[in-house]
Amino acid sequence: SEGIDVRDGILYLTSKEMKRLVIVDLVKKMYSYSSTKSGAFDNQPDQLDVVLGPNTEMLLLCEDGGPDAGLHGRDLYGNYFTLLYRDKEIDTNRGNEETTGLGVSPDFKHL
């Protein structure tokens, strides 16, 4: 696992082999997990960042492997969405790729 973050007593980590997001409540000593295979997010989860804004909370996940690796998100309700991905139809010169180096500006306006 490469992706790990902790915020407000909750530990988030990714399992590449199982293609899962694991969420551990460090206070209640309980855990849950969910599959990251959703829509365009069809490869291994990689780095992650928990984004806590004034009106939002979401988890951003990089994707490792595959011809269309992207940057994906998960909202408070467990819904996954895609922010961007490599268009394998346009960029035909490469094989498996990954997104990496995730960072969010303090004002939440820039990735």
Side-chain angles (χ1 to χ4, degrees):
S1 175
E2 292 180 37
I4 189 167
D5 199 357
V6 64
R7 300 289 163 95
D8 297 329
I10 307 293
L11 175 73
Y12 303 87
L13 61 103
T14 60
S15 169
K16 286 182 151 189
E17 185 175 330
M18 304 292 284
K19 296 184 181 179
R20 289 182 176 168
L21 171 66
V22 181
I23 302 169
V24 181
D25 187 320
L26 300 171
V27 176
K28 295 179 182 176
K29 297 183 170 70
M30 298 176 66
Y31 73 94
S32 63
Y33 59 85
S34 64
S35 172
T36 58
K37 290 190 68 136
S38 176
F41 196 172
D42 55 2
N43 292 296
Q44 296 176 329
D46 203 341
Q47 297 175 345
L48 63 86
D49 190 14
V50 177
V51 180
L52 302 173
N55 298 317
T56 187
E57 179 178 328
M58 71 177 130
L59 184 70
L60 299 178
L61 296 129
C62 292
E63 184 176 18
D64 188 2
D68 57 356
L71 175 61
H72 308 279
R74 181 178 187 267
D75 66 19
L76 284 171
Y77 307 104
N79 301 310
Y80 285 93
F81 54 92
T82 298
L83 293 167
L84 59 93
Y85 67 96
R86 178 176 163 257
D87 189 337
K88 61 187 175 193
E89 302 300 321
I90 294 173
D91 185 6
T92 59
N93 297 324
R94 294 195 162 95
N96 289 341
E97 297 291 335
E98 70 176 308
T99 53
T100 186
L102 178 61
V104 180
S105 67
D107 64 0
F108 306 104
K109 292 184 179 180
H110 304 281
L111 289 175

